[in-house]
Amino acid sequence: MQNDRGAQEALYKLYYADMMQVCQSYLADEELAREAFNTAFLTVFESIKNFDTERGELGGWIRRIMVYSSIDLYRAELKFGNVTDDLPEQETEFIPPAVLEKLYFEDILRHIRTLPSATQTVFILSVLDGFSHKEISEQLNISEGTSRWHLSEAKKQLRGLLENKPGAARPMERGGRK
């Protein structure tokens, strides 16, 4: 399949919608999402010979490549504000499952996109893609404490949005930064 253009086109079409949605969840700009998607598929085509069918599902492998491609492009486009590691552990904000069940993916994504970009990315990596704070910190070159803070802030702001609290979506200022 590595050099079979017909098979490559079929694979591309099969995964286009789902994987483009993955890239769009990290990159709000349509052009950047498309760039991450195409870069990731180039990696898929170049690395397909290394895919081990006994270790996992093809769709999961492709999704992971999409996530990494999106993160790489995000990192190249934006910079994170640093938050110190010595923040106290914060209680995790709880969003009731019943509230989330009522929303469609696009509605949820629209709310997530109101978050500051760094907070948005950490939230997606943690909640939607299941990365640990250690993995997030390694991928985004931030500390685990910064990752925890962004996740906590995202949950707090999303809860405010879902409960329709005025001003809840505004990023909180810390040390003169947003």
Side-chain angles (χ1 to χ4, degrees), residues 10 71 110:
I71 290 169
R110 187 172 33 84

Side-chain angles (χ1 to χ4, degrees), residues 20-135:
M20 188 63 177
Q21 196 170 43
V22 169
C23 294
Q24 288 173 326
S25 68
Y26 288 97
L27 301 159
D29 181 274
E30 184 76 24
E31 282 300 312
L32 289 177
R34 194 173 294 113
E35 182 180 341
F37 174 84
N38 287 326
T39 300
F41 249 102
L42 182 59
T43 301
V44 168
F45 294 148
E46 291 172 346
S47 304
I48 194 79
K49 65 183 176 282
N50 300 327
F51 175 69
D52 183 1
T53 56
E54 293 179 16
R55 291 194 59 214
E57 180 190 356
L58 181 62
W61 180 72
I62 292 173
R63 179 183 176 86
R64 197 153 188 89
I65 292 171
M66 292 292 161
V67 168
Y68 288 130
S69 176
S70 297
I71 290 169
D72 287 345
L73 188 55
Y74 177 85
R75 211 179 341 187
E77 293 291 318
L78 301 169
K79 299 291 180 208
F80 277 85
N82 289 321
V83 177
T84 62
D85 269 337
D86 41 312
L87 289 173
E89 279 294 317
Q90 296 179 352
E91 186 175 318
T92 303
E93 297 289 332
F94 175 73
I95 300 172
V99 171
L100 294 177
E101 290 170 8
K102 292 179 185 176
L103 300 174
Y104 292 103
F105 177 78
E106 292 80 19
D107 294 328
I108 294 170
L109 191 55
R110 187 172 33 84
H111 287 302
I112 291 170
R113 288 215 171 122
T114 66
L115 299 171
S117 60
T119 303
Q120 178 186 140
T121 300
V122 170
F123 179 83
I124 292 169
L125 283 168
S126 177
V127 174
L128 300 182
D129 291 325
F131 285 84
S132 70
H133 288 294
K134 182 177 181 2
E135 292 170 316

